[in-house]
Amino acid sequence: MLIKTRRYPEPQPSEITDREVYLHRRRFLQGLAASGVAAGLAAPVSLRAGSRSPDVTESKLSSEDKLTPKDDVTSYCNFYEFGTGKDDPARNAHTLTTKPWSVTVDGEVEKPGTYDLEDILKPHTPEERIYRLRCVEGWSMVIPWLGVPLGDLIKRFKPTSRAKYVAFETLYRPSEMPGQTRAILDWPYVEGLRMDEAMNPLTLMAVGLYGEALPNQNGAPLRLVVPWKYGFKSIKSIVKIHLTEKEPPTSWNIAAPNEYGFYANVNPNVDHPRWSQAKERRIGETGLLFFTERRKTEMFNGYGEQVADMYRGMDLSKYF
Ligand code: MTE
């Protein structure tokens, strides 16, 4: 159910789209609900990786790189709410309840409100689509994500001219997220993007991977994917999207400001204070990570053509 603010009643999709498109979407949403994607359940979806389902559009920005095996994607995770070990989230995240799930959108928008996940996923214009985007994630995995471009979502809420940044917040529920009872980070986990980064077509609100709903350990039911940035920007299990005039705080920047900046663009020329970032190992490429050959890290993770213009004139060693 959509919980709307009274000031901005939304027309029903049937009022603003032609009947054929509307009916198609109804079937699509019913499919999502039945498959568990909308409900955030880890059930298989009728769409398989590589299939040409009419409901999912392959993104033009998808990479041709070899995919990381699904088992690695779902077992080697970072989700400190469930422990700091890479295998902790897969073991512990089953405690998270993802249904019902709602997302609050507020701040510098004309249409603030708290929206049920199903409404968030529902296309609101004929142009909106669920995409499959195969992309190199900022900690060196290649994952076929399913999701909606964040920009399509943001447009619906009509940002005001003062909206310069987008802040995100993860669910805070220590009873289901045991890591939140420990002072590892300031909870809840928070992240942010500049408005142009948020509107870039590469930035995805992911609801699935490998043709299935997101497993809890990968950020069910809704997480961010920002392919040209380091992995920590891709905040999981999002419950709040806040548009703001000022650069918002981010969890890793609060924890270690000299190590993690706001931008966190993948950049082989700027070393982390404690290690070089010029080379990387792709997870799952061979059996043991330690024996996987290092490859040269590409500027912006190889997405320079799509994103470099946003940072023209900025000193990226200062804005790291
Ligand atoms: N989001 C939340 N809420 N909590 C976290 O600890 N870890 C981040 C990011 N999103 C994290 C998070 C980090 S450090 C990485 S590398 C990616 O999630 C990992 O995503 P994956 O486990 O799906 O590969």
Side-chain angles (χ1 to χ4, degrees), residues 73 76-81 137-139 141 143 145 170 177 185 187 189 209 217-219 223 230-237 252:
V73 175
Y76 188 89
C77 299
N78 264 342
F79 200 170
Y80 277 21
E81 286 83 342
E137 203 204 22
W139 71 321
M141 294 195 191
I143 301 173
W145 296 105
T170 293
M177 297 174 132
L185 289 170
W187 307 112
Y189 196 99
L209 52 79
Q217 62 266 34
N218 293 98
R223 57 94 52 89
Y230 289 111
F232 63 88
K233 297 298 283 184
S234 294
I235 180 172
K236 296 175 167 181
S237 306
W252 282 102

PDB file of all heavy atoms in Angstrom, residues 73 76-81 137-139 141 143 145 170 177 185 187 189 209 217-219 223 230-237 252, ligand 1:
ATOM      1  N   VAL A  73      29.414 -14.305  -4.979  1.00  0.00           N
ATOM      2  CA  VAL A  73      28.688 -13.044  -4.751  1.00  0.00           C
ATOM      3  C   VAL A  73      27.857 -13.123  -3.469  1.00  0.00           C
ATOM      4  O   VAL A  73      27.755 -12.155  -2.717  1.00  0.00           O
ATOM      5  CB  VAL A  73      27.762 -12.731  -5.965  1.00  0.00           C
ATOM      6  CG1 VAL A  73      26.912 -11.501  -5.699  1.00  0.00           C
ATOM      7  CG2 VAL A  73      28.577 -12.555  -7.243  1.00  0.00           C
ATOM      8  N   TYR A  76      30.650 -14.143  -0.056  1.00  0.00           N
ATOM      9  CA  TYR A  76      31.778 -13.284   0.328  1.00  0.00           C
ATOM     10  C   TYR A  76      31.233 -11.862   0.369  1.00  0.00           C
ATOM     11  O   TYR A  76      31.143 -11.183  -0.659  1.00  0.00           O
ATOM     12  CB  TYR A  76      32.883 -13.443  -0.715  1.00  0.00           C
ATOM     13  CG  TYR A  76      34.192 -12.771  -0.371  1.00  0.00           C
ATOM     14  CD1 TYR A  76      35.179 -13.442   0.355  1.00  0.00           C
ATOM     15  CD2 TYR A  76      34.468 -11.475  -0.784  1.00  0.00           C
ATOM     16  CE1 TYR A  76      36.389 -12.830   0.654  1.00  0.00           C
ATOM     17  CE2 TYR A  76      35.673 -10.849  -0.493  1.00  0.00           C
ATOM     18  CZ  TYR A  76      36.631 -11.540   0.227  1.00  0.00           C
ATOM     19  OH  TYR A  76      37.831 -10.931   0.520  1.00  0.00           O
ATOM     20  N   CYS A  77      30.788 -11.417   1.528  1.00  0.00           N
ATOM     21  CA  CYS A  77      30.024 -10.160   1.605  1.00  0.00           C
ATOM     22  C   CYS A  77      30.565  -9.245   2.708  1.00  0.00           C
ATOM     23  O   CYS A  77      31.212  -9.701   3.653  1.00  0.00           O
ATOM     24  CB  CYS A  77      28.555 -10.458   1.928  1.00  0.00           C
ATOM     25  SG  CYS A  77      27.729 -11.477   0.709  1.00  0.00           S
ATOM     26  N   ASN A  78      30.239  -7.984   2.567  1.00  0.00           N
ATOM     27  CA  ASN A  78      30.443  -7.021   3.652  1.00  0.00           C
ATOM     28  C   ASN A  78      29.075  -6.477   4.055  1.00  0.00           C
ATOM     29  O   ASN A  78      28.369  -5.890   3.225  1.00  0.00           O
ATOM     30  CB  ASN A  78      31.299  -5.830   3.168  1.00  0.00           C
ATOM     31  CG  ASN A  78      32.762  -5.995   3.503  1.00  0.00           C
ATOM     32  OD1 ASN A  78      33.123  -6.808   4.359  1.00  0.00           O
ATOM     33  ND2 ASN A  78      33.602  -5.231   2.840  1.00  0.00           N
ATOM     34  N   PHE A  79      28.694  -6.697   5.288  1.00  0.00           N
ATOM     35  CA  PHE A  79      27.414  -6.188   5.811  1.00  0.00           C
ATOM     36  C   PHE A  79      27.602  -6.240   7.330  1.00  0.00           C
ATOM     37  O   PHE A  79      27.253  -7.219   7.985  1.00  0.00           O
ATOM     38  CB  PHE A  79      26.272  -7.095   5.335  1.00  0.00           C
ATOM     39  CG  PHE A  79      24.892  -6.465   5.374  1.00  0.00           C
ATOM     40  CD1 PHE A  79      23.809  -7.107   4.767  1.00  0.00           C
ATOM     41  CD2 PHE A  79      24.645  -5.249   6.016  1.00  0.00           C
ATOM     42  CE1 PHE A  79      22.532  -6.558   4.779  1.00  0.00           C
ATOM     43  CE2 PHE A  79      23.369  -4.691   6.035  1.00  0.00           C
ATOM     44  CZ  PHE A  79      22.316  -5.358   5.409  1.00  0.00           C
ATOM     45  N   TYR A  80      28.222  -5.161   7.854  1.00  0.00           N
ATOM     46  CA  TYR A  80      28.685  -5.171   9.240  1.00  0.00           C
ATOM     47  C   TYR A  80      27.550  -5.326  10.255  1.00  0.00           C
ATOM     48  O   TYR A  80      27.793  -5.698  11.401  1.00  0.00           O
ATOM     49  CB  TYR A  80      29.501  -3.910   9.533  1.00  0.00           C
ATOM     50  CG  TYR A  80      30.948  -4.012   9.097  1.00  0.00           C
ATOM     51  CD1 TYR A  80      31.340  -4.946   8.142  1.00  0.00           C
ATOM     52  CD2 TYR A  80      31.922  -3.188   9.638  1.00  0.00           C
ATOM     53  CE1 TYR A  80      32.659  -5.052   7.739  1.00  0.00           C
ATOM     54  CE2 TYR A  80      33.252  -3.291   9.246  1.00  0.00           C
ATOM     55  CZ  TYR A  80      33.613  -4.222   8.294  1.00  0.00           C
ATOM     56  OH  TYR A  80      34.922  -4.332   7.915  1.00  0.00           O
ATOM     57  N   GLU A  81      26.324  -5.071   9.825  1.00  0.00           N
ATOM     58  CA  GLU A  81      25.189  -5.298  10.726  1.00  0.00           C
ATOM     59  C   GLU A  81      25.091  -6.770  11.115  1.00  0.00           C
ATOM     60  O   GLU A  81      24.429  -7.139  12.084  1.00  0.00           O
ATOM     61  CB  GLU A  81      23.878  -4.865  10.043  1.00  0.00           C
ATOM     62  CG  GLU A  81      23.669  -3.358   9.939  1.00  0.00           C
ATOM     63  CD  GLU A  81      24.369  -2.692   8.761  1.00  0.00           C
ATOM     64  OE1 GLU A  81      25.309  -3.292   8.187  1.00  0.00           O
ATOM     65  OE2 GLU A  81      23.971  -1.566   8.414  1.00  0.00           O
ATOM     66  N   GLU A 137      31.530  -4.393  -9.798  1.00  0.00           N
ATOM     67  CA  GLU A 137      31.255  -3.725  -8.535  1.00  0.00           C
ATOM     68  C   GLU A 137      32.570  -3.243  -7.953  1.00  0.00           C
ATOM     69  O   GLU A 137      33.620  -3.797  -8.254  1.00  0.00           O
ATOM     70  CB  GLU A 137      30.593  -4.710  -7.578  1.00  0.00           C
ATOM     71  CG  GLU A 137      29.789  -4.032  -6.503  1.00  0.00           C
ATOM     72  CD  GLU A 137      29.649  -4.910  -5.282  1.00  0.00           C
ATOM     73  OE1 GLU A 137      30.470  -5.819  -5.092  1.00  0.00           O
ATOM     74  OE2 GLU A 137      28.740  -4.670  -4.504  1.00  0.00           O
ATOM     75  N   GLY A 138      32.482  -2.193  -7.144  1.00  0.00           N
ATOM     76  CA  GLY A 138      33.692  -1.540  -6.655  1.00  0.00           C
ATOM     77  C   GLY A 138      34.561  -2.366  -5.731  1.00  0.00           C
ATOM     78  O   GLY A 138      35.538  -1.878  -5.203  1.00  0.00           O
ATOM     79  N   TRP A 139      34.255  -3.611  -5.491  1.00  0.00           N
ATOM     80  CA  TRP A 139      35.274  -4.416  -4.818  1.00  0.00           C
ATOM     81  C   TRP A 139      35.518  -5.680  -5.613  1.00  0.00           C
ATOM     82  O   TRP A 139      35.714  -6.764  -5.141  1.00  0.00           O
ATOM     83  CB  TRP A 139      35.002  -4.618  -3.356  1.00  0.00           C
ATOM     84  CG  TRP A 139      33.902  -5.486  -2.914  1.00  0.00           C
ATOM     85  CD1 TRP A 139      32.667  -5.627  -3.449  1.00  0.00           C
ATOM     86  CD2 TRP A 139      33.936  -6.352  -1.776  1.00  0.00           C
ATOM     87  NE1 TRP A 139      31.920  -6.496  -2.735  1.00  0.00           N
ATOM     88  CE2 TRP A 139      32.680  -6.957  -1.686  1.00  0.00           C
ATOM     89  CE3 TRP A 139      34.896  -6.658  -0.823  1.00  0.00           C
ATOM     90  CZ2 TRP A 139      32.368  -7.861  -0.674  1.00  0.00           C
ATOM     91  CZ3 TRP A 139      34.574  -7.541   0.176  1.00  0.00           C
ATOM     92  CH2 TRP A 139      33.334  -8.134   0.246  1.00  0.00           C
ATOM     93  N   MET A 141      33.943  -7.539  -8.251  1.00  0.00           N
ATOM     94  CA  MET A 141      33.127  -8.673  -8.669  1.00  0.00           C
ATOM     95  C   MET A 141      32.361  -8.178  -9.894  1.00  0.00           C
ATOM     96  O   MET A 141      32.167  -6.975 -10.058  1.00  0.00           O
ATOM     97  CB  MET A 141      32.095  -9.035  -7.606  1.00  0.00           C
ATOM     98  CG  MET A 141      32.665  -9.561  -6.322  1.00  0.00           C
ATOM     99  SD  MET A 141      31.318 -10.336  -5.388  1.00  0.00           S
ATOM    100  CE  MET A 141      32.095 -10.590  -3.813  1.00  0.00           C
ATOM    101  N   ILE A 143      28.723  -8.556 -11.490  1.00  0.00           N
ATOM    102  CA  ILE A 143      27.441  -9.083 -10.999  1.00  0.00           C
ATOM    103  C   ILE A 143      26.308  -8.652 -11.942  1.00  0.00           C
ATOM    104  O   ILE A 143      26.241  -7.483 -12.336  1.00  0.00           O
ATOM    105  CB  ILE A 143      27.165  -8.540  -9.575  1.00  0.00           C
ATOM    106  CG1 ILE A 143      28.301  -8.964  -8.637  1.00  0.00           C
ATOM    107  CG2 ILE A 143      25.804  -9.026  -9.057  1.00  0.00           C
ATOM    108  CD1 ILE A 143      28.231  -8.366  -7.249  1.00  0.00           C
ATOM    109  N   TRP A 145      23.075  -7.409 -11.915  1.00  0.00           N
ATOM    110  CA  TRP A 145      22.081  -6.854 -10.992  1.00  0.00           C
ATOM    111  C   TRP A 145      20.743  -6.698 -11.688  1.00  0.00           C
ATOM    112  O   TRP A 145      20.686  -6.495 -12.907  1.00  0.00           O
ATOM    113  CB  TRP A 145      22.512  -5.460 -10.513  1.00  0.00           C
ATOM    114  CG  TRP A 145      23.766  -5.438  -9.708  1.00  0.00           C
ATOM    115  CD1 TRP A 145      24.998  -5.020 -10.131  1.00  0.00           C
ATOM    116  CD2 TRP A 145      23.922  -5.817  -8.338  1.00  0.00           C
ATOM    117  NE1 TRP A 145      25.912  -5.132  -9.110  1.00  0.00           N
ATOM    118  CE2 TRP A 145      25.282  -5.616  -8.004  1.00  0.00           C
ATOM    119  CE3 TRP A 145      23.054  -6.312  -7.366  1.00  0.00           C
ATOM    120  CZ2 TRP A 145      25.782  -5.896  -6.728  1.00  0.00           C
ATOM    121  CZ3 TRP A 145      23.551  -6.583  -6.106  1.00  0.00           C
ATOM    122  CH2 TRP A 145      24.896  -6.375  -5.800  1.00  0.00           C
ATOM    123  N   THR A 170      20.311   2.924   6.087  1.00  0.00           N
ATOM    124  CA  THR A 170      19.952   1.502   6.249  1.00  0.00           C
ATOM    125  C   THR A 170      18.994   1.360   7.425  1.00  0.00           C
ATOM    126  O   THR A 170      19.000   2.183   8.349  1.00  0.00           O
ATOM    127  CB  THR A 170      21.242   0.676   6.509  1.00  0.00           C
ATOM    128  OG1 THR A 170      22.042   0.688   5.334  1.00  0.00           O
ATOM    129  CG2 THR A 170      20.958  -0.759   6.898  1.00  0.00           C
ATOM    130  N   MET A 177      19.517  -7.276  13.637  1.00  0.00           N
ATOM    131  CA  MET A 177      20.844  -6.997  13.055  1.00  0.00           C
ATOM    132  C   MET A 177      21.844  -6.932  14.221  1.00  0.00           C
ATOM    133  O   MET A 177      22.126  -5.858  14.754  1.00  0.00           O
ATOM    134  CB  MET A 177      20.806  -5.679  12.278  1.00  0.00           C
ATOM    135  CG  MET A 177      19.856  -5.718  11.095  1.00  0.00           C
ATOM    136  SD  MET A 177      19.707  -4.099  10.321  1.00  0.00           S
ATOM    137  CE  MET A 177      19.931  -4.487   8.599  1.00  0.00           C
ATOM    138  N   LEU A 185      30.441   0.630  14.012  1.00  0.00           N
ATOM    139  CA  LEU A 185      30.231   1.862  13.247  1.00  0.00           C
ATOM    140  C   LEU A 185      29.137   2.642  13.965  1.00  0.00           C
ATOM    141  O   LEU A 185      28.444   2.096  14.820  1.00  0.00           O
ATOM    142  CB  LEU A 185      29.728   1.533  11.827  1.00  0.00           C
ATOM    143  CG  LEU A 185      30.690   0.898  10.823  1.00  0.00           C
ATOM    144  CD1 LEU A 185      29.926   0.443   9.571  1.00  0.00           C
ATOM    145  CD2 LEU A 185      31.778   1.895  10.411  1.00  0.00           C
ATOM    146  N   TRP A 187      25.597   3.615  14.016  1.00  0.00           N
ATOM    147  CA  TRP A 187      24.402   3.066  13.347  1.00  0.00           C
ATOM    148  C   TRP A 187      23.285   4.092  13.307  1.00  0.00           C
ATOM    149  O   TRP A 187      23.205   4.889  14.215  1.00  0.00           O
ATOM    150  CB  TRP A 187      23.933   1.792  14.066  1.00  0.00           C
ATOM    151  CG  TRP A 187      25.009   0.763  14.234  1.00  0.00           C
ATOM    152  CD1 TRP A 187      25.577   0.377  15.410  1.00  0.00           C
ATOM    153  CD2 TRP A 187      25.649  -0.011  13.209  1.00  0.00           C
ATOM    154  NE1 TRP A 187      26.529  -0.595  15.182  1.00  0.00           N
ATOM    155  CE2 TRP A 187      26.596  -0.841  13.835  1.00  0.00           C
ATOM    156  CE3 TRP A 187      25.497  -0.085  11.807  1.00  0.00           C
ATOM    157  CZ2 TRP A 187      27.401  -1.733  13.130  1.00  0.00           C
ATOM    158  CZ3 TRP A 187      26.303  -0.968  11.111  1.00  0.00           C
ATOM    159  CH2 TRP A 187      27.237  -1.773  11.770  1.00  0.00           C
ATOM    160  N   TYR A 189      23.847   2.624   9.319  1.00  0.00           N
ATOM    161  CA  TYR A 189      24.782   2.871   8.215  1.00  0.00           C
ATOM    162  C   TYR A 189      24.183   3.943   7.318  1.00  0.00           C
ATOM    163  O   TYR A 189      23.002   3.892   6.972  1.00  0.00           O
ATOM    164  CB  TYR A 189      24.925   1.569   7.432  1.00  0.00           C
ATOM    165  CG  TYR A 189      26.106   1.480   6.477  1.00  0.00           C
ATOM    166  CD1 TYR A 189      27.274   0.824   6.850  1.00  0.00           C
ATOM    167  CD2 TYR A 189      26.028   1.987   5.185  1.00  0.00           C
ATOM    168  CE1 TYR A 189      28.343   0.692   5.969  1.00  0.00           C
ATOM    169  CE2 TYR A 189      27.089   1.862   4.300  1.00  0.00           C
ATOM    170  CZ  TYR A 189      28.248   1.210   4.698  1.00  0.00           C
ATOM    171  OH  TYR A 189      29.301   1.076   3.825  1.00  0.00           O
ATOM    172  N   LEU A 209      19.742 -10.052  -8.022  1.00  0.00           N
ATOM    173  CA  LEU A 209      20.984 -10.397  -8.712  1.00  0.00           C
ATOM    174  C   LEU A 209      20.838 -11.799  -9.286  1.00  0.00           C
ATOM    175  O   LEU A 209      20.094 -12.619  -8.757  1.00  0.00           O
ATOM    176  CB  LEU A 209      22.208 -10.253  -7.815  1.00  0.00           C
ATOM    177  CG  LEU A 209      22.280 -10.920  -6.450  1.00  0.00           C
ATOM    178  CD1 LEU A 209      22.628 -12.400  -6.531  1.00  0.00           C
ATOM    179  CD2 LEU A 209      23.351 -10.212  -5.613  1.00  0.00           C
ATOM    180  N   GLN A 217      21.949 -11.199   2.641  1.00  0.00           N
ATOM    181  CA  GLN A 217      23.346 -10.787   2.865  1.00  0.00           C
ATOM    182  C   GLN A 217      23.829  -9.766   1.830  1.00  0.00           C
ATOM    183  O   GLN A 217      24.802  -9.067   2.052  1.00  0.00           O
ATOM    184  CB  GLN A 217      24.281 -12.010   2.906  1.00  0.00           C
ATOM    185  CG  GLN A 217      24.337 -12.829   1.624  1.00  0.00           C
ATOM    186  CD  GLN A 217      23.358 -13.987   1.652  1.00  0.00           C
ATOM    187  OE1 GLN A 217      22.278 -13.883   2.232  1.00  0.00           O
ATOM    188  NE2 GLN A 217      23.719 -15.083   1.014  1.00  0.00           N
ATOM    189  N   ASN A 218      23.137  -9.677   0.689  1.00  0.00           N
ATOM    190  CA  ASN A 218      23.530  -8.700  -0.330  1.00  0.00           C
ATOM    191  C   ASN A 218      22.697  -7.424  -0.260  1.00  0.00           C
ATOM    192  O   ASN A 218      22.779  -6.578  -1.161  1.00  0.00           O
ATOM    193  CB  ASN A 218      23.458  -9.315  -1.728  1.00  0.00           C
ATOM    194  CG  ASN A 218      24.491 -10.409  -1.938  1.00  0.00           C
ATOM    195  OD1 ASN A 218      24.178 -11.593  -1.810  1.00  0.00           O
ATOM    196  ND2 ASN A 218      25.730 -10.029  -2.194  1.00  0.00           N
ATOM    197  N   GLY A 219      21.882  -7.287   0.797  1.00  0.00           N
ATOM    198  CA  GLY A 219      21.208  -6.003   1.009  1.00  0.00           C
ATOM    199  C   GLY A 219      19.726  -5.981   0.734  1.00  0.00           C
ATOM    200  O   GLY A 219      19.178  -4.937   0.374  1.00  0.00           O
ATOM    201  N   ARG A 223      18.971  -2.152  -2.370  1.00  0.00           N
ATOM    202  CA  ARG A 223      20.301  -1.607  -2.069  1.00  0.00           C
ATOM    203  C   ARG A 223      20.773  -0.803  -3.268  1.00  0.00           C
ATOM    204  O   ARG A 223      20.248  -0.930  -4.365  1.00  0.00           O
ATOM    205  CB  ARG A 223      21.284  -2.709  -1.690  1.00  0.00           C
ATOM    206  CG  ARG A 223      21.531  -3.842  -2.669  1.00  0.00           C
ATOM    207  CD  ARG A 223      22.699  -3.695  -3.616  1.00  0.00           C
ATOM    208  NE  ARG A 223      24.006  -3.383  -3.202  1.00  0.00           N
ATOM    209  CZ  ARG A 223      24.956  -4.249  -2.850  1.00  0.00           C
ATOM    210  NH1 ARG A 223      24.710  -5.541  -2.793  1.00  0.00           N
ATOM    211  NH2 ARG A 223      26.157  -3.827  -2.585  1.00  0.00           N
ATOM    212  N   TYR A 230      34.009   2.734  -4.906  1.00  0.00           N
ATOM    213  CA  TYR A 230      34.358   1.614  -4.034  1.00  0.00           C
ATOM    214  C   TYR A 230      33.081   1.069  -3.376  1.00  0.00           C
ATOM    215  O   TYR A 230      32.098   1.797  -3.183  1.00  0.00           O
ATOM    216  CB  TYR A 230      35.399   2.041  -3.001  1.00  0.00           C
ATOM    217  CG  TYR A 230      36.758   2.280  -3.649  1.00  0.00           C
ATOM    218  CD1 TYR A 230      37.307   3.546  -3.743  1.00  0.00           C
ATOM    219  CD2 TYR A 230      37.466   1.207  -4.201  1.00  0.00           C
ATOM    220  CE1 TYR A 230      38.535   3.753  -4.360  1.00  0.00           C
ATOM    221  CE2 TYR A 230      38.694   1.404  -4.826  1.00  0.00           C
ATOM    222  CZ  TYR A 230      39.224   2.674  -4.905  1.00  0.00           C
ATOM    223  OH  TYR A 230      40.426   2.861  -5.538  1.00  0.00           O
ATOM    224  N   GLY A 231      33.158  -0.226  -3.052  1.00  0.00           N
ATOM    225  CA  GLY A 231      31.974  -0.958  -2.612  1.00  0.00           C
ATOM    226  C   GLY A 231      31.205  -0.345  -1.462  1.00  0.00           C
ATOM    227  O   GLY A 231      29.989  -0.493  -1.372  1.00  0.00           O
ATOM    228  N   PHE A 232      31.903   0.387  -0.572  1.00  0.00           N
ATOM    229  CA  PHE A 232      31.185   0.858   0.619  1.00  0.00           C
ATOM    230  C   PHE A 232      30.120   1.902   0.314  1.00  0.00           C
ATOM    231  O   PHE A 232      29.243   2.174   1.126  1.00  0.00           O
ATOM    232  CB  PHE A 232      32.159   1.344   1.704  1.00  0.00           C
ATOM    233  CG  PHE A 232      33.018   2.540   1.339  1.00  0.00           C
ATOM    234  CD1 PHE A 232      32.563   3.823   1.563  1.00  0.00           C
ATOM    235  CD2 PHE A 232      34.274   2.365   0.798  1.00  0.00           C
ATOM    236  CE1 PHE A 232      33.362   4.922   1.248  1.00  0.00           C
ATOM    237  CE2 PHE A 232      35.081   3.447   0.481  1.00  0.00           C
ATOM    238  CZ  PHE A 232      34.625   4.737   0.697  1.00  0.00           C
ATOM    239  N   LYS A 233      30.161   2.499  -0.914  1.00  0.00           N
ATOM    240  CA  LYS A 233      29.101   3.454  -1.276  1.00  0.00           C
ATOM    241  C   LYS A 233      27.770   2.730  -1.507  1.00  0.00           C
ATOM    242  O   LYS A 233      26.713   3.342  -1.473  1.00  0.00           O
ATOM    243  CB  LYS A 233      29.468   4.230  -2.554  1.00  0.00           C
ATOM    244  CG  LYS A 233      30.682   5.104  -2.467  1.00  0.00           C
ATOM    245  CD  LYS A 233      30.569   6.212  -1.444  1.00  0.00           C
ATOM    246  CE  LYS A 233      29.729   7.392  -1.888  1.00  0.00           C
ATOM    247  NZ  LYS A 233      29.751   8.465  -0.850  1.00  0.00           N
ATOM    248  N   SER A 234      27.854   1.424  -1.819  1.00  0.00           N
ATOM    249  CA  SER A 234      26.642   0.679  -2.193  1.00  0.00           C
ATOM    250  C   SER A 234      25.888   0.216  -0.949  1.00  0.00           C
ATOM    251  O   SER A 234      25.920  -0.957  -0.560  1.00  0.00           O
ATOM    252  CB  SER A 234      27.029  -0.502  -3.086  1.00  0.00           C
ATOM    253  OG  SER A 234      27.529  -0.022  -4.310  1.00  0.00           O
ATOM    254  N   ILE A 235      25.191   1.133  -0.342  1.00  0.00           N
ATOM    255  CA  ILE A 235      24.500   0.891   0.938  1.00  0.00           C
ATOM    256  C   ILE A 235      23.354  -0.112   0.768  1.00  0.00           C
ATOM    257  O   ILE A 235      22.642  -0.090  -0.234  1.00  0.00           O
ATOM    258  CB  ILE A 235      24.024   2.245   1.531  1.00  0.00           C
ATOM    259  CG1 ILE A 235      23.290   2.050   2.857  1.00  0.00           C
ATOM    260  CG2 ILE A 235      23.165   3.009   0.549  1.00  0.00           C
ATOM    261  CD1 ILE A 235      22.979   3.378   3.573  1.00  0.00           C
ATOM    262  N   LYS A 236      23.210  -0.951   1.787  1.00  0.00           N
ATOM    263  CA  LYS A 236      22.252  -2.063   1.735  1.00  0.00           C
ATOM    264  C   LYS A 236      20.989  -1.790   2.562  1.00  0.00           C
ATOM    265  O   LYS A 236      21.003  -0.947   3.459  1.00  0.00           O
ATOM    266  CB  LYS A 236      22.934  -3.321   2.267  1.00  0.00           C
ATOM    267  CG  LYS A 236      24.103  -3.764   1.398  1.00  0.00           C
ATOM    268  CD  LYS A 236      24.843  -4.933   1.996  1.00  0.00           C
ATOM    269  CE  LYS A 236      25.785  -5.539   0.960  1.00  0.00           C
ATOM    270  NZ  LYS A 236      26.513  -6.689   1.504  1.00  0.00           N
ATOM    271  N   SER A 237      19.956  -2.561   2.266  1.00  0.00           N
ATOM    272  CA  SER A 237      18.703  -2.577   3.047  1.00  0.00           C
ATOM    273  C   SER A 237      18.252  -1.153   3.401  1.00  0.00           C
ATOM    274  O   SER A 237      18.136  -0.780   4.579  1.00  0.00           O
ATOM    275  CB  SER A 237      18.885  -3.429   4.310  1.00  0.00           C
ATOM    276  OG  SER A 237      19.352  -4.716   3.957  1.00  0.00           O
ATOM    277  N   TRP A 252      31.606   5.450   6.619  1.00  0.00           N
ATOM    278  CA  TRP A 252      33.048   5.185   6.632  1.00  0.00           C
ATOM    279  C   TRP A 252      33.850   6.460   6.751  1.00  0.00           C
ATOM    280  O   TRP A 252      34.947   6.464   7.286  1.00  0.00           O
ATOM    281  CB  TRP A 252      33.454   4.344   5.419  1.00  0.00           C
ATOM    282  CG  TRP A 252      33.092   2.922   5.686  1.00  0.00           C
ATOM    283  CD1 TRP A 252      32.016   2.244   5.201  1.00  0.00           C
ATOM    284  CD2 TRP A 252      33.763   2.026   6.582  1.00  0.00           C
ATOM    285  NE1 TRP A 252      31.970   0.980   5.726  1.00  0.00           N
ATOM    286  CE2 TRP A 252      33.036   0.821   6.573  1.00  0.00           C
ATOM    287  CE3 TRP A 252      34.902   2.129   7.383  1.00  0.00           C
ATOM    288  CZ2 TRP A 252      33.410  -0.287   7.347  1.00  0.00           C
ATOM    289  CZ3 TRP A 252      35.279   1.039   8.149  1.00  0.00           C
ATOM    290  CH2 TRP A 252      34.539  -0.156   8.125  1.00  0.00           C
TER     291      TRP A 252
HETATM  292  N1  MTE B   1      25.677  -1.463   3.708  1.00  0.00           N
HETATM  293  C1  MTE B   1      25.425  -1.633   5.015  1.00  0.00           C
HETATM  294  N2  MTE B   1      24.227  -1.269   5.490  1.00  0.00           N
HETATM  295  N3  MTE B   1      26.342  -2.127   5.875  1.00  0.00           N
HETATM  296  C2  MTE B   1      27.597  -2.488   5.442  1.00  0.00           C
HETATM  297  O1  MTE B   1      28.425  -2.929   6.267  1.00  0.00           O
HETATM  298  N4  MTE B   1      29.130  -2.623   3.548  1.00  0.00           N
HETATM  299  C3  MTE B   1      29.525  -1.948   2.308  1.00  0.00           C
HETATM  300  C4  MTE B   1      28.398  -2.000   1.257  1.00  0.00           C
HETATM  301  N5  MTE B   1      27.121  -1.695   1.858  1.00  0.00           N
HETATM  302  C5  MTE B   1      27.903  -2.327   4.050  1.00  0.00           C
HETATM  303  C6  MTE B   1      26.884  -1.828   3.202  1.00  0.00           C
HETATM  304  C7  MTE B   1      30.739  -2.495   1.751  1.00  0.00           C
HETATM  305  S1  MTE B   1      32.170  -2.119   2.608  1.00  0.00           S
HETATM  306  C8  MTE B   1      30.770  -3.225   0.598  1.00  0.00           C
HETATM  307  S2  MTE B   1      32.253  -3.705  -0.089  1.00  0.00           S
HETATM  308  C9  MTE B   1      29.529  -3.628  -0.087  1.00  0.00           C
HETATM  309  O2  MTE B   1      28.367  -3.301   0.660  1.00  0.00           O
HETATM  310  C10 MTE B   1      29.561  -5.123  -0.323  1.00  0.00           C
HETATM  311  O3  MTE B   1      28.423  -5.552  -1.024  1.00  0.00           O
HETATM  312  P1  MTE B   1      28.232  -7.128  -1.286  1.00  0.00           P
HETATM  313  O4  MTE B   1      28.474  -7.813   0.031  1.00  0.00           O
HETATM  314  O5  MTE B   1      26.831  -7.303  -1.781  1.00  0.00           O
HETATM  315  O6  MTE B   1      29.238  -7.511  -2.321  1.00  0.00           O
END
